Amino acid sequence: MKYIPTIGIECHVQLSTKTKLFSEVDNDARGKEPNSCVSPVDYALPGMLPRLNGEAVKFAIRAGKAMNCEINPKSRFDRKHYFYPDSPKGYQITQFYQPIIGAGYVELPSGTRIRIEHAHLEGDAGKLTHFDTYSLVDLNRVDTPLIEIVSMPDIHSAKDAHDYCKELWRLMRYAKVTYGDLYNGNMRFDINVSVAPEGSDQLGTRAEIKNLNSFRSVERAVEYEIARQTKLLEAGEKVVQETRGWNDATGKTTGQRSKEEAKDYRYMPEPDLPPINLSVEFIEAETAKLPLMPSNYRDMFDKTIIKDTLEVLLDYPELMEKLNEVGQDNAKFLSNLFASVLLAEEKSAEYLNDLPSGEELKELAKMNAEKELSSTATKEVFLKLFDPQMKGRGARNIAKELGVIQENDLSALEAIVDIVLAKPATAKAQADFRAGEEKVIGFLVGQVMKESHGKANPSTVQQILRNKLVK
Ligand code: MN
């Protein structure tokens, strides 16, 4: 019997707002002391009341629109109760009954659409670090704004699970709502995996794997779960509904605890926060701030940039903005330099923070098209455009400084060729060429290149030489 896997994914995205979801404390705790970005609201001092951060609402609108979702004009918050040291309030403020983001979809590079069920705003929990005999609590992360994106069970392979998570990461970064630093948990994926016999109208019992933070671990965990569950069913055994942990080192999942039901959390409306009411104008104003999205770029460069190159570059919104800025004619040429030279460069991460202007890049493209720069010189000048030491100097000035501009002026080149042909040292080669020995042309071109200090355009030189020698 054939078994069909079905995967649903919940993704938590940390929003890069200035302050926290319900207090005025700094939301960016990177490099700060534990428990230094915490207000009395965050550590739940009795009597403290939350106040909603309007910026987080704006971010949620942009994130929702990036996923082609409806934005609900009315939404509100609820309390999700659980008792754990990382949550001083004893509950999480989330949106259970009326989330801010409604249904939508994400389109994968393959064209497959994954529907979004909804997405909601909520506060993050603190962080526990476990030692042998004790654990330490850091509340810096408490009530960092999150959106939790819940997919429909539309994913049926490990590859699509990987692609979906990656596309979400791209969309959230294009929408500028998160730093998108996966290593530090800015985006975390919970995956539900089940398998059912082909043709069955019911889904199988699912296992949930929480808190994955790389696309690769999502793909591997899904692969492992599909194999594990299929094997159980084939042996006539049952899959247990449970939360399982992923071990990256062993490449396996292991059972942790049976899954809680929604009723275990005793959801109730949050009495301390009023509902969110959004006007059409407010939603439209925020939507208008969205830049071009990956799907727009795929349509735009469909004919100019090879798909594989485009998919690599789409991970870098700043590079795509640049390609848009320089126009179709230059985009093909520059996309190759971005992919094969810039991203291969050791300092590329640093270079990406401060890109050269579109004008500088266009100047480089023009110099290359007019054969003023060889392909080697083009790459050299291109990288110098990103060098902080060379910033703003422009492609032509840099090329001049490096002395790599090719001489294309025909009369100037002819004069150099004449000098070389007048040298007794080239007399034999000239005679050999006239006698039909083709390959000595290389020697003669080399002599002209030397005479021009490497600035002559070799193919033009060869043409001039041939004309002069056959006369
Ligand atoms: Mn959540």
Side-chain angles (χ1 to χ4, degrees), residues 10-12 80 92 94 120 122-123 146-148 190 210:
E10 291 166 17
C11 170
H12 286 91
K80 177 182 182 178
Q92 178 191 32
T94 180
H120 55 264
E122 62 185 24
L146 297 174
I147 55 165
E148 180 178 338
D190 301 342
K210 283 181 176 282

Side-chain angles (χ1 to χ4, degrees), residues 29 69-70 100 112 143 270 283 288 310 384 426 430:
C69 289
E70 294 295 323
I100 185 166
T112 303
D143 284 342
E270 166 61 61
I283 295 172
L310 183 63
K384 291 283 182 206
T426 63
Q430 292 180 49

Side-chain angles (χ1 to χ4, degrees), residues 172-189:
M172 295 304 115
R173 284 167 60 250
Y174 277 74
K176 297 189 171 75
V177 301
T178 183
Y179 300 121
D181 178 351
L182 296 174
Y183 183 78
N184 285 306
N186 287 178
M187 286 179 77
R188 310 188 295 265
F189 306 98

Side-chain angles (χ1 to χ4, degrees), residues 128-141:
L128 294 177
T129 311
H130 302 288
F131 297 89
D132 280 351
T133 53
Y134 61 98
S135 298
L136 294 180
V137 187
D138 177 7
L139 298 180
N140 279 353
R141 211 176 63 185

Side-chain angles (χ1 to χ4, degrees), residues 40-238:
V41 178
D42 306 324
Y43 62 75
L45 199 71
M48 292 296 112
L49 293 172
R51 205 181 80 175
L52 181 61
N53 177 354
E55 197 189 14
V57 173
K58 291 180 177 177
F59 277 37
I61 293 172
R62 293 212 304 275
K65 285 294 180 180
M67 301 182 290
N68 310 293
C69 289
E70 294 295 323
I71 302 300
N72 293 323
K74 283 191 197 313
S75 62
R76 60 185 176 87
F77 287 95
D78 304 290
R79 291 184 178 181
K80 177 182 182 178
H81 296 86
Y82 70 94
F83 186 74
Y84 211 60
D86 64 8
S87 173
K89 285 191 286 288
Y91 56 85
Q92 178 191 32
I93 302 180
T94 180
Q95 297 185 306
F96 184 67
Y97 296 103
Q98 285 176 263
I100 185 166
I101 301 170
Y105 65 88
V106 167
E107 192 165 305
L108 307 186
S110 63
T112 303
R113 278 188 184 186
I114 309 300
R115 287 171 299 160
I116 302 298
E117 208 263 332
H118 81 273
H120 55 264
L121 264 172
E122 62 185 24
D124 209 341
K127 197 173 140 194
L128 294 177
T129 311
H130 302 288
F131 297 89
D132 280 351
T133 53
Y134 61 98
S135 298
L136 294 180
V137 187
D138 177 7
L139 298 180
N140 279 353
R141 211 176 63 185
V142 165
D143 284 342
T144 278
L146 297 174
I147 55 165
E148 180 178 338
I149 304 162
V150 181
S151 85
M152 296 288 275
D154 286 351
I155 301 167
H156 300 286
S157 70
K159 167 88 168 57
D160 276 1
H162 168 282
D163 288 359
Y164 169 75
C165 294
K166 187 162 188 188
E167 200 62 19
L168 280 187
W169 172 72
R170 283 174 169 172
L171 293 175
M172 295 304 115
R173 284 167 60 250
Y174 277 74
K176 297 189 171 75
V177 301
T178 183
Y179 300 121
D181 178 351
L182 296 174
Y183 183 78
N184 285 306
N186 287 178
M187 286 179 77
R188 310 188 295 265
F189 306 98
D190 301 342
I191 57 175
N192 289 306
V193 185
S194 66
V195 299
E198 189 173 25
S200 161
D201 54 1
Q202 281 187 338
L203 293 177
T205 308
R206 68 203 176 137
E208 184 170 28
I209 301 142
K210 283 181 176 282
N211 271 324
L212 298 170
N213 71 348
S214 80
F215 313 133
R216 183 78 190 115
S217 56
V218 167
E219 187 170 7
R220 290 174 70 209
V222 170
E223 261 167 21
Y224 180 84
E225 268 305 301
I226 293 173
R228 183 185 73 87
Q229 295 183 19
T230 305
K231 210 170 146 194
L232 279 174
L233 295 184
E234 278 171 347
E237 290 173 56
K238 280 202 165 95

